[in-house]
Amino acid sequence: MEIESFRALLTDEGQALLAELRDFKAGEELALATRLRRAHPAPLVSAALAQAQLRQRARAKFGDQADELYFTPDGVEQATRRSVAEWRAQRFAALGVRRLADLCCGIGGDAIALARVGIAVLAVDRSPLTCAVAEANAASLGLAELIEVRCADVTEVDVTGYDAVFTDPARRTARGRVFDPEAYSPPLSWAIEAARRTPFGALKVAPGIPHELVPDGAEAEWVSDHGEVKEAALWFGTRADRPHRATLLPGDRTLTGGLLPDPPAGPVGRYLYEPDGAVIRAHLVAEVAEQIGGRLIDPMIAYLTSDRLVPTPYAHAYEISDVLPFNVKKLKALLRERGVGTVVIKKRGIGITPEELRRQLKPSGPNELTVILSRTDHGPLMMLGRPATAEDQPAGAWM
């Protein structure tokens, strides 16, 4: 997308086209473009159609707000999910931050969330098009007075006088995702230094960052949304006494820790607990085990087990009816015997994929069953059961 084409979308004619394309259906592009080009310049129609497609893709991250925003292809892929940006903005506000430098701001998703909690933001990016999009997004949401967009090299920006710095380094190139943190743009080492120039700082990193790369004095936070790990961030200046944090959205549920030893391993009990992905990434499985009075089923597998059901928001619990050595033929026979047609398959440490196993099982029947496969020191197991509910808990014990 050229910057001139984008600016054309901000005109009255461009806005009218975007409004007309708001709810177009996939497959209608050619017919729509042909019709619209009879009344509008072809380049403007192409730009509007491309923007409408980007907005539809962005709804997964931004919800209905996507229809008020503008995007670039990279912006849709790399922008922070709205729920995560709002959570981070709340954390900065709770720390007393009032002025923040948002380095590598992209299309402005984080800047918008920060401005909405009253923080004045300097949003910096080196791409003129990206800056134009961020500026348009601030104006579209009535936040232009709180968001100053500056097109510059973030490594040359003076952050003196700001309460905090937030950096979101680019982790993709034209060849794909970057896994070496020093190959981020800017590199992780520079972003860490920038985060330490102000009283508070945070920088976004890949969720798979090795724990040994977390610098001393930093608080590492992993965030999941509806059970899917979305990002990790390193925080500076929070003086956290526990180095790891897992946050589960929606609901702002936060678990901190990182100091407990690994829990012991033992046999599978009546209930199996599957910790949230953010809990696993943050190495906080031991904290959940302590909550539920549980144990691992294997020292290297993040499944917990207990003989009692203890409510926790940080793990999904399953009531286990059968624990057997993993055998496809035996499993297929059990499903047929029990009339199971819907099988939810979960697995850890076993090579077969759920899709491949489901094809082999060919389930048929009115009943539903959860099958959990796991490697253990005693060989691969298959555990059959169902999600535990409040009704499984003694009266008055479920919270």
Side-chain angles (χ1 to χ4, degrees):
M1 183 192 303
E2 300 295 331
I3 193 167
E4 294 79 8
S5 299
F6 172 71
R7 292 197 187 283
L9 294 176
L10 305 180
T11 65
D12 290 343
E13 186 177 13
Q15 293 293 293
L17 271 174
L18 287 173
E20 188 168 351
L21 290 168
R22 179 167 180 160
D23 296 313
F24 84 93
K25 303 293 189 297
E28 297 178 349
E29 294 91 342
L30 182 58
L32 274 171
T34 301
R35 177 173 63 79
L36 292 172
R37 283 171 182 160
R38 298 183 188 128
H40 305 280
L44 180 59
V45 171
S46 296
L49 189 57
Q51 189 61 222
Q53 291 171 319
L54 291 173
R55 283 178 167 180
Q56 289 191 358
R57 286 171 54 194
R59 287 174 186 168
K61 285 187 174 182
F62 290 87
D64 292 342
Q65 188 185 75
D67 294 320
E68 302 177 67
L69 299 176
Y70 301 92
F71 300 93
T72 65
D74 286 345
V76 170
E77 295 294 331
Q78 299 174 20
T80 303
R81 180 175 293 265
R82 179 180 178 181
S83 58
V84 179
E86 290 174 345
W87 163 252
R88 183 162 39 242
Q90 291 167 14
R91 285 204 70 187
F92 273 122
L95 291 168
V97 171
R98 292 296 173 262
R99 297 183 71 226
L100 178 145
D102 179 3
L103 307 181
C104 308
C105 68
I107 57 126
D110 281 284
I112 288 167
L114 291 159
R116 280 186 156 166
V117 295
I119 297 174
V121 182
L122 171 64
V124 184
D125 202 282
R126 66 184 178 184
S127 163
L129 172 60
T130 300
C131 286
V133 172
E135 203 165 46
N137 285 336
S140 176
L141 297 179
L143 298 170
E145 290 187 1
L146 282 169
I147 300 175
E148 175 194 346
V149 179
R150 184 183 301 176
C151 192
D153 184 333
V154 297
T155 64
E156 299 175 358
V157 173
D158 183 5
V159 296
T160 303
Y162 287 87
D163 302 320
V165 164
F166 171 65
T167 308
D168 183 3
R171 298 183 299 281
R172 289 179 181 270
T173 66
R175 291 180 293 180
R177 192 181 298 275
V178 171
F179 295 98
D180 177 8
E182 284 306 298
Y184 290 177
S185 180
L188 178 65
S189 56
W190 181 91
I192 291 172
E193 181 185 345
R196 286 175 164 156
R197 291 178 191 160
T198 51
F200 301 102
L203 65 102
K204 193 194 294 191
V205 293
I209 185 172
H211 279 231
E212 57 267 24
L213 293 183
V214 176
D216 291 340
E219 177 194 13
E221 178 180 32
W222 283 261
V223 181
S224 68
D225 190 352
H226 290 90
E228 293 186 23
V229 180
K230 295 303 180 184
E231 71 165 59
L234 304 181
W235 288 82
F236 299 84
T238 60
R239 299 181 181 179
D241 57 356
R242 298 177 182 180
H244 300 165
R245 176 187 292 259
T247 297
L248 283 55
L249 304 175
D252 301 352
R253 295 157 293 169
T254 290
L255 179 67
T256 60
L259 302 176
L260 294 180
D262 291 338
V268 179
R270 180 178 176 183
Y271 296 99
L272 189 81
Y273 294 80
E274 179 185 26
D276 183 88
V279 170
I280 296 172
R281 294 277 193 176
H283 293 185
L284 297 178
V285 173
E287 279 71 11
V288 177
E290 186 177 62
Q291 284 185 3
I292 66 172
R295 56 192 177 271
L296 293 166
I297 67 170
D298 179 89
M300 303 302 294
I301 299 293
Y303 281 134
L304 295 167
T305 188
S306 175
D307 295 315
R308 62 194 183 100
L309 181 60
V310 179
T312 175
Y314 303 110
H316 293 288
Y318 300 88
E319 184 176 18
I320 301 302
S321 58
D322 303 84
V323 180
L324 302 163
F326 176 46
N327 182 285
V328 175
K329 289 185 178 179
K330 176 63 174 177
L331 180 57
K332 187 175 182 179
L334 281 171
L335 297 184
R336 185 171 58 249
E337 175 186 317
R338 300 178 187 183
V340 174
T342 302
V343 184
V344 177
I345 300 172
K346 296 178 172 291
K347 62 103 180 182
R348 286 197 180 132
I350 291 182
I352 193 169
T353 67
E355 294 74 19
E356 180 185 356
L357 179 58
R358 191 173 284 105
R359 284 195 297 270
Q360 294 181 41
L361 295 175
K362 299 177 182 178
S364 176
N367 299 320
E368 182 175 337
L369 189 70
T370 298
V371 175
I372 303 169
L373 311 177
S374 179
R375 184 191 72 208
T376 72
D377 283 342
H378 305 289
L381 294 182
M382 56 185 189
M383 295 161 281
L384 283 55
R386 63 180 180 84
T389 65
E391 286 71 24
D392 300 315
Q393 185 75 7
W398 191 270
M399 296 182 291

